[in-house]
Amino acid sequence: MQSSLVSVAKALRQARHVFVLTGAGISAESGVPTFRDAQTGLWAKYDPLQLATPGAFERDPSLVWKWYSWRRELVSAIDPNPAHYALANLVECVPELTLVTQNVDGLHQRAGSPAVSEFHGNLFTNICWRDGSTQVLAANDIEIPPICPDCGSMLRPGVVWFGEAIKSDVLDNSFNRAAACDVFISIGTSSLVHPASALFEAAIGNDATIIEVNPEITPMSKAADFVLRGKAGTILPELLDLLAVED
Ligand code: APR
């Protein structure tokens, strides 16, 4: 592991443009349950993969809204972890950094990352169910789900649900930037959910060095030049420490 860490630090020192893709694993150490973890408490009997769909919202908007309210409260009560802070500091160490996250929890921003592209939206935003416009909740709205102040339709969380398309500007920009990077780092993602799982292929097309940080094997592992097996909250701070040491 140490020799891979040293090699990765070397690749980062030589990089011009580093592309980082993060997934639920980077927030796991903060206490955000992944969709694929067993859920606890009140929501244990529901399958999150069944709740995070337009069909579920159509069938039972109140249930889906309450589940997201619970997730908002959970995320509001926890903090970014050392992996989020290490990535926020990485900006200072490389000429250009693109950070794309599949997470909707806003923890990268809270850790201080200046520019974060949120591939799957943000838990704390609301959009109109009818036209997708971003809306601010009226302070006195007690409906569940709340009502769009513009058109009276329902509001829904501003996240991308299973079966929905990624916003085209976010999608195009992410793929263009991945295709232009020379180091690609995948952190804490199972690389199972398309199209984020295809971003590393765009980087391979540019002969980028591919790095994975994950305690488990993923479908991306065999394409990686360096695999750092372990927790992001341990590995990334170690990597940043190594980067700070001159060659
Ligand atoms: N450090 C690094 N990786 C970790 C850690 C950790 N401490 N803990 C778990 N992991 C890894 C797991 O091994 C797994 O590969 O994080 C990954 C989490 O996988 P998923 O739960 O599938 O998360 P993600 O890849 O982000 O899922 C993509 O699917 O859950 C939906 O829309 C949601 O954006 C999400 C998308």
Side-chain angles (χ1 to χ4, degrees), residues 22-29 33-37 49 52 71 81 83 101-104 119-120 160-162 187-194 196 212-218 228 230-235:
T22 66
I26 197 167
S27 294
E29 289 167 75
T34 71
F35 279 21
R36 288 162 189 80
D37 279 343
L49 298 169
R71 293 186 65 206
N81 67 57
T101 186
Q102 296 166 89
N103 300 341
V104 296
F119 212 68
H120 292 162
V160 178
W161 281 329
F162 291 103
I187 304 168
T189 171
S190 57
S191 296
L192 289 173
V193 178
H194 203 77
E212 178 175 64
V213 179
N214 198 312
E216 309 283 340
I217 294 176
T218 76
L228 303 175
K231 294 185 171 184
T234 308
I235 290 174

Side-chain angles (χ1 to χ4, degrees), residues 166-233:
I166 311 293
K167 278 190 179 165
S168 59
D169 56 335
V170 174
L171 188 71
D172 292 349
N173 189 45
S174 300
F175 273 88
N176 288 339
R177 295 186 74 82
C181 76
D182 49 7
V183 174
F184 180 99
I185 316 180
S186 166
I187 304 168
T189 171
S190 57
S191 296
L192 289 173
V193 178
H194 203 77
S197 58
L199 282 164
F200 79 90
E201 288 163 8
I204 287 177
N206 196 39
D207 282 334
T209 302
I210 308 293
I211 297 157
E212 178 175 64
V213 179
N214 198 312
E216 309 283 340
I217 294 176
T218 76
M220 205 203 85
S221 301
K222 52 180 182 302
D225 297 291
F226 298 103
V227 175
L228 303 175
R229 284 271 169 257
K231 294 185 171 184

Side-chain angles (χ1 to χ4, degrees), residues 7-17 94-95 182-183 243 247:
S7 304
V8 170
K10 192 171 172 203
L12 286 173
R13 264 190 220 108
Q14 291 166 352
R16 290 183 312 279
H17 177 185
V94 296
D182 49 7
V183 174
L243 259 183
D247 259 333

Side-chain angles (χ1 to χ4, degrees), residues 57-77:
F57 189 69
E58 228 156 2
R59 271 190 305 280
D60 196 340
S62 152
L63 176 78
V64 173
W65 184 267
K66 284 180 191 159
W67 183 57
Y68 276 94
S69 295
W70 172 76
R71 293 186 65 206
R72 285 174 180 186
E73 278 172 32
L74 188 146
V75 169
S76 299

